[in-house]
Amino acid sequence: MSPLNLEQGASSHSAYDLRSHMSDVIETHTLAVLVANEAGVLARVIGLFSGRGYNIESLTVAEVDHEGHLSRITIVTSGTPQVIQQIKAQLDRMVPVHEVHDLTVEGPAVSRELALFKVQGKGDARVEALRIAEIFRANVVDSTLQSFVFEITGQPEKIDAFADLMRPLGLIEVARTGVAAISRGK
Amino acid sequence: MTRQMTGAQMVVEALREQGVDTVFGYPGGAVLPIYDEIFQQNHIRHILVRHEQGAVHAAEGYARATGKPGVVLVTSGPGATNAVTGLTDALMDSIPIVVLTGQVPTFMIGSDAFQEADTVGITRPCTKMNWLVKETDALADTLHQAFHICTSGRPGPVLVDIPKDVQFATGAYVGKPQAKVSHYQPRVKGDPEIITALVEAMEKAERPVFYTGGGVINSGPRASQLLRELVGATGFPITSTLMGLGSYPASGDNWLGMLGMHGLYEANLAMHGCDLMINIGARFDDRITGRIADFSPNSLKAHVDIDPSSINKVIHADFPIIGDVGHVLEDMLRIWKARGRKTNSAALKKWWSNIEEWRAVKCLSYKSDTTTIKPQYALERLEALTKGHDRYICTEVGQHQMWAAQYLGFEDPNRWMTSGGLGTMGYGTPASIGVQVAHPDALVINVAGEASWLMNMQEMGTAMQYRLPVKQFIMNNERLGMVRQWQELLHGERYSHSWSESLPDFVKLADAFGCKGILCKDPADLDDAIMEMLNYDGPVIFDCLVTKHENCFPMIPSGKAHNEMLLGEADTRNAIGAGGGVLV
Ligand SMILES: Cc1ncc(C[n+]2csc(CCOP(=O)(O)OP(=O)(O)O)c2C)c(N)n1
Ligand SMILES: [Mg+2]
């Protein structure tokens, strides 16, 4: 071993690269987080993401066990493998968090999102909108002479695709729920 | 059978049941019912601080010196917001404290009532957990949970916000044994397979080093005991972070001194050159690692931590062990003994001779001076003259803090209180008060910088009121010394606002508080002056005038590797690259 290297200021390395030196590949993961349904828990979870600079691509929450006072938060997030590992560990150590599941790695899972689309149009565009809606198995939940409201469920990508097709046909408003996800089998 | 009582009575009863003997606090409108109950009982002693920040740091000092949670009681609004710095400090350093805040009555929450603040909102990011209690029936249970959570797993601060109407109303008191056991039960036993693998690596290691931190101290005195046994038995060298000083004795043979930005040369080079790093209860803080890419490049790393999120956060762990330090050390020792107490003694011998060479550099040597008191000299004398005492040391933040860590020796855990993670100037004075409250007969010294000391000096009033003979040893360089050092090294010696202008006359200030003031500026007088401080039965403000432009060495500049340490003035030229100012 070389004992002393005291040459000062000689390093050619950049001193300011603070990124992870493991993998740099950005992955998208869907996490299911079971939390105590108490005041402030959602704020705590969201605060963790903003405070530590993690991404939230989608977040949904609702009570799933009324008696056990448990809510389920589904979070779609992205980051390097090391960041994803940190996010899970940081969530898991929060006092009101009961369970953290990474649905992306824990085996096959289904994810669904519901969206409402308001499309305004007349004539051919209106007919075309209806035809595409049928292909996408979207339901008409409201209609006037000038507009439709479509309800569609599916993977977020399917909803994105539907939005792309509706845009030139008079899409004027979108409401999306965010992703709910659950593992397959068992 | 449940007992009926008011919320305010519940607070006092729950504290009593939790074994709390002291509360640090400051009253106000929203906590008057609780103060009324405190007035009518004798179990719990209330220490009236002079500022809520002081209450929280005092509670931290109390907690660190006793291992028991510190308790704080403050009012709503400004009382709560003044507690925020202390909460953040306790979160960063994993100190168990319970902060109780008053809140406006539930029916006024959200109306911008007088002294209303969203206390749980403001303190959510700086507490391990917090609660707003809206019903008196839930209060006792929440308080018991608060104590459970702040002391279990990785300790930390918790806060319970109690609206005034909840304090007045009557409800059912839930006793400690009946309280709902929280689902929060962090794992304390480490994975035996990984521990065994680590022991195997320890048997073969040629250049091992123990790198220990505050987790050893938080785990309790038994962990320090086991650590000493393990170090003694294996003969491995050991270094520690600022937070972990005292878990292994400074007089111990295997002690390398503190590591990190201002750590000892031998400690940092041992970390850089080791082939097996055994991190016990430390967290690879940036003050420790320096440039991550070059951190201990050729070692396998074991990391023992009770907090899973600490593992692989900064540095990849080859042996990740999630568990309480005490439990894991016990298993390590047991397994190592059962496998025949093996070490690679030939290689170890070589490793030690390497280390001896680094030790021979004597990195803490400094140019002595007969006309002005060198800060290093002041601490050497303080160390020599207080060595045999039942001694507790607090510090403020700055150069004096680093010198204290370098030049004072800690033989036992829980005797060193310093703001590590947050680096809070103003920590030391109130912390010393909390320590002295816990250990009334001990020698409690706050090694301070003049600038830090001014940040919470109002607490001298508390020291006087409760006859707490805390010694405030102010190393007065008339500079924000650490800032000045960085400006010298990184900002072309442009000393922007790093002067301590218009300082008070500290001796007169002591006089005004009614305590003793001592001024010392001549190295020849220093011993006598320190003895005078030690012999005085009461609080002392000691104004020790030290060299004004002295830099703290060794120093690893931000973003540099351990083997790029600056040892003294001669090393500092062009030491820090142009971008050096970016990092803190
Ligand atoms: C509350 C707070 N504000 C600012 C700082 C930044 N800071 C770190 S050290 C320091 C100077 C401390 O001066 P002094 O207490 O006199 O100690 P010295 O370095 O001179 O020994 C400052 C301003 C801090 N750590 N804490
Ligand atoms: Mg100073």
Side-chain angles (χ1 to χ4, degrees):
Chain A
M1 174 191 344
S2 88
L4 320 178
N5 171 18
L6 271 181
E7 205 47 43
Q8 295 309 328
S11 170
S12 59
H13 295 267
S14 163
Y16 310 110
D17 183 3
L18 295 175
R19 287 171 308 155
S20 153
H21 291 274
M22 292 141 113
S23 169
D24 275 345
V25 181
I26 302 287
E27 299 175 351
T28 299
H29 285 237
T30 303
L31 309 179
V33 188
L34 228 54
V35 300
N37 187 14
E38 294 164 4
V41 175
L42 185 60
R44 228 166 228 283
V45 169
I46 290 173
L48 170 74
F49 278 74
S50 61
R52 292 186 185 264
Y54 305 143
N55 297 318
I56 298 181
E57 288 177 6
S58 157
L59 185 145
T60 62
V61 57
E63 190 176 65
V64 290
D65 176 356
H66 189 65
E67 257 160 43
H69 282 288
L70 292 178
S71 290
R72 182 172 170 120
I73 305 178
T74 309
I75 306 170
V76 181
T77 183
S78 61
T80 62
Q82 194 244 5
V83 166
I84 300 283
Q85 191 193 358
Q86 259 300 296
I87 291 173
K88 289 188 276 185
Q90 292 287 355
L91 283 169
D92 205 26
R93 78 175 181 138
M94 295 182 118
V95 174
V97 169
H98 289 243
E99 286 171 40
V100 179
H101 294 284
D102 185 343
L103 297 176
T104 305
V105 299
E106 286 178 14
V110 279
S111 48
R112 288 288 180 273
E113 185 176 0
L114 183 145
L116 299 172
F117 285 73
K118 188 176 280 176
V119 180
Q120 204 174 39
K122 286 189 187 147
D124 287 350
R126 189 169 157 83
V127 176
E128 180 66 0
L130 257 187
R131 200 182 65 79
I132 292 172
E134 209 164 301
I135 295 169
F136 276 77
R137 297 209 190 113
N139 299 320
V140 177
V141 291
D142 176 67
S143 73
T144 66
L145 290 175
Q146 292 87 32
S147 70
F148 289 120
V149 174
F150 296 112
E151 172 205 297
I152 179 170
T153 54
Q155 309 246 23
E157 299 75 33
K158 170 177 162 185
I159 293 169
D160 291 342
F162 188 60
D164 288 344
L165 291 172
M166 284 296 141
R167 210 161 283 125
L169 300 176
L171 179 63
I172 54 166
E173 205 176 334
V174 183
R176 296 175 70 150
T177 58
V179 173
I182 203 161
S183 64
R184 289 180 189 273
K186 267 194 283 130
Chain B
M1 203 198 73
T2 56
R3 286 180 285 161
Q4 295 289 312
M5 59 179 82
T6 67
Q9 287 168 331
M10 285 183 189
V11 170
V12 172
E13 181 58 16
L15 295 182
R16 195 191 60 75
E17 254 201 294
Q18 289 288 342
V20 173
D21 51 26
T22 309
V23 172
F24 300 90
Y26 208 90
V31 281
L32 285 179
I34 300 173
Y35 270 86
D36 204 19
E37 289 305 323
I38 286 179
F39 189 81
Q40 301 176 51
Q41 55 83 50
N42 288 316
H43 300 290
I44 293 161
R45 184 179 187 206
H46 178 276
I47 304 288
L48 178 71
V49 294
R50 299 300 187 263
H51 186 298
E52 289 87 353
Q53 184 187 357
V56 187
H57 293 323
E60 287 187 274
Y62 176 95
R64 288 178 69 164
T66 60
K68 297 198 298 185
V71 181
V72 173
L73 173 60
V74 296
T75 193
S76 65
T81 56
N82 274 348
V84 166
T85 301
L87 286 167
T88 311
D89 192 271
L91 186 74
M92 293 289 272
D93 284 346
S94 307
I95 308 302
I97 55 170
V98 177
V99 175
L100 309 177
T101 50
Q103 182 54 280
V104 302
T106 48
F107 53 84
M108 292 179 83
I109 289 177
S111 70
D112 297 322
F114 178 63
Q115 296 196 327
E116 179 182 359
D118 177 8
T119 301
V120 286
I122 291 169
T123 61
R124 202 170 280 126
C126 60
T127 51
K128 182 172 175 184
M129 187 61 191
N130 64 10
W131 300 263
L132 168 64
V133 181
K134 288 188 170 165
E135 283 157 25
T136 306
D137 278 338
L139 180 56
D141 192 71
T142 307
L143 290 168
H144 293 305
Q145 272 203 55
F147 277 87
H148 168 72
I149 285 166
C150 88
T151 50
S152 315
R154 179 175 182 173
V158 297
L159 180 144
V160 185
D161 198 24
I162 314 170
K164 197 170 181 180
D165 56 334
V166 173
Q167 298 170 33
F168 271 128
T170 301
Y173 179 79
V174 180
K176 184 181 170 191
Q178 286 80 43
K180 264 186 258 121
V181 183
S182 162
H183 77 278
Y184 184 76
Q185 303 288 351
R187 161 170 145 196
V188 293
K189 292 289 275 182
D191 182 331
E193 260 177 56
I194 306 178
I195 296 176
T196 307
L198 169 60
V199 168
E200 250 173 77
M202 286 166 65
E203 291 166 352
K204 292 193 208 110
E206 297 179 358
R207 302 183 307 279
V209 65
F210 284 111
Y211 149 45
T212 58
V216 184
I217 300 195
N218 272 338
S219 178
R222 172 129 179 85
S224 292
Q225 211 44 56
L226 289 161
L227 177 71
R228 289 160 190 228
E229 199 186 323
L230 185 64
V231 172
T234 56
F236 292 179
I238 174 169
T239 177
S240 161
T241 65
L242 182 74
M243 291 298 297
L245 297 177
S247 54
Y248 183 83
S251 62
D253 290 337
N254 299 23
W255 179 238
L256 301 182
M258 179 176 78
L259 81 159
M261 183 175 269
H262 292 290
L264 270 66
Y265 185 67
E266 49 270 44
N268 283 330
L269 285 200
M271 289 286 281
H272 190 77
C274 67
D275 70 344
L276 177 64
M277 177 185 297
I278 307 162
N279 172 346
I280 303 182
R283 60 182 174 90
F284 295 111
D285 178 82
D286 55 80
R287 302 291 96 160
I288 298 304
T289 59
R291 184 169 58 230
I292 302 273
D294 293 319
F295 175 68
S296 192
N298 302 312
S299 60
L300 286 174
K301 295 171 186 77
H303 189 175
V304 181
D305 203 304
I306 197 154
D307 178 358
S309 76
S310 282
I311 290 175
N312 290 333
K313 180 172 71 176
V314 181
I315 296 290
H316 174 76
D318 302 287
F319 305 96
I321 300 170
I322 298 165
D324 171 61
V325 165
H327 285 83
V328 174
L329 281 173
E330 198 171 331
D331 288 346
M332 270 167 84
L333 255 169
R334 188 176 39 74
I335 295 170
W336 181 73
K337 285 177 180 168
R339 290 171 51 97
R341 300 167 173 263
K342 283 175 284 199
T343 57
N344 185 345
S345 48
L348 265 183
K349 216 170 142 208
K350 231 175 103 201
W351 178 225
W352 271 111
S353 73
N354 251 315
I355 291 171
E356 289 307 334
E357 275 172 42
W358 298 327
R359 272 183 173 164
V361 168
K362 294 205 182 308
C363 68
L364 291 186
S365 51
Y366 58 93
K367 261 200 226 98
S368 57
D369 190 336
T370 50
T371 54
T372 25
I373 301 173
K374 283 272 184 165
Q376 301 92 329
Y377 177 72
L379 287 164
E380 278 178 351
R381 294 319 300 154
L382 189 69
E383 168 76 357
L385 297 171
T386 61
K387 195 78 196 159
H389 288 71
D390 178 18
R391 185 187 79 177
Y392 293 82
I393 301 282
C394 302
T395 76
E396 301 288 347
V397 171
Q399 291 179 315
H400 63 276
Q401 175 191 30
M402 293 298 112
W403 281 315
Q406 293 172 340
Y407 290 88
L408 302 180
F410 298 94
E411 295 298 310
D412 292 299
N414 303 101
R415 301 215 163 225
W416 165 245
M417 315 338 110
T418 192
S419 171
L422 195 62
T424 310
M425 290 171 70
Y427 170 87
T429 308
S432 69
I433 284 170
V435 175
Q436 191 83 72
V437 166
H439 303 290
D441 300 322
L443 171 62
V444 181
I445 303 174
N446 176 30
V447 175
E450 81 295 338
S452 297
W453 193 80
L454 288 176
M455 284 204 177
N456 271 323
M457 66 161 193
Q458 76 285 346
E459 297 307 329
M460 288 313 288
T462 313
M464 289 305 297
Q465 180 180 345
Y466 296 95
R467 300 178 191 286
L468 303 167
V470 289
K471 314 299 183 204
Q472 305 298 319
F473 190 75
I474 302 173
M475 312 238 292
N476 185 352
N477 52 10
E478 298 174 20
R479 301 288 182 278
L480 313 185
M482 191 57 96
V483 171
R484 191 206 57 73
Q485 176 167 347
W486 281 56
Q487 288 172 336
E488 180 183 327
L489 300 179
L490 289 147
H491 295 274
E493 301 182 52
R494 290 180 295 280
Y495 297 129
S496 180
H497 299 273
S498 55
W499 306 80
S500 287
E501 295 272 5
S502 307
L503 283 171
D505 177 329
F506 287 102
V507 174
K508 281 195 191 148
L509 193 61
D511 219 34
F513 275 113
C515 62
K516 185 173 185 62
I518 300 174
L519 172 71
C520 186
K521 52 188 170 193
D522 187 340
D525 300 336
L526 184 60
D527 276 22
D528 286 347
I530 290 177
M531 286 315 294
E532 191 185 350
M533 171 178 89
L534 299 180
N535 291 331
Y536 182 73
D537 182 20
V540 175
I541 301 174
F542 190 120
D543 186 9
C544 186
L545 299 187
V546 297
T547 324
K548 297 185 198 310
H549 280 214
E550 184 74 10
N551 286 332
C552 183
F553 294 112
M555 177 181 186
I556 303 174
S558 282
K560 296 277 180 174
H562 278 181
N563 58 347
E564 295 175 279
M565 203 178 325
L566 312 179
L567 280 180
E569 299 296 346
D571 284 339
T572 59
R573 240 154 291 134
N574 306 321
I576 298 166
V582 179
L583 291 178
V584 288

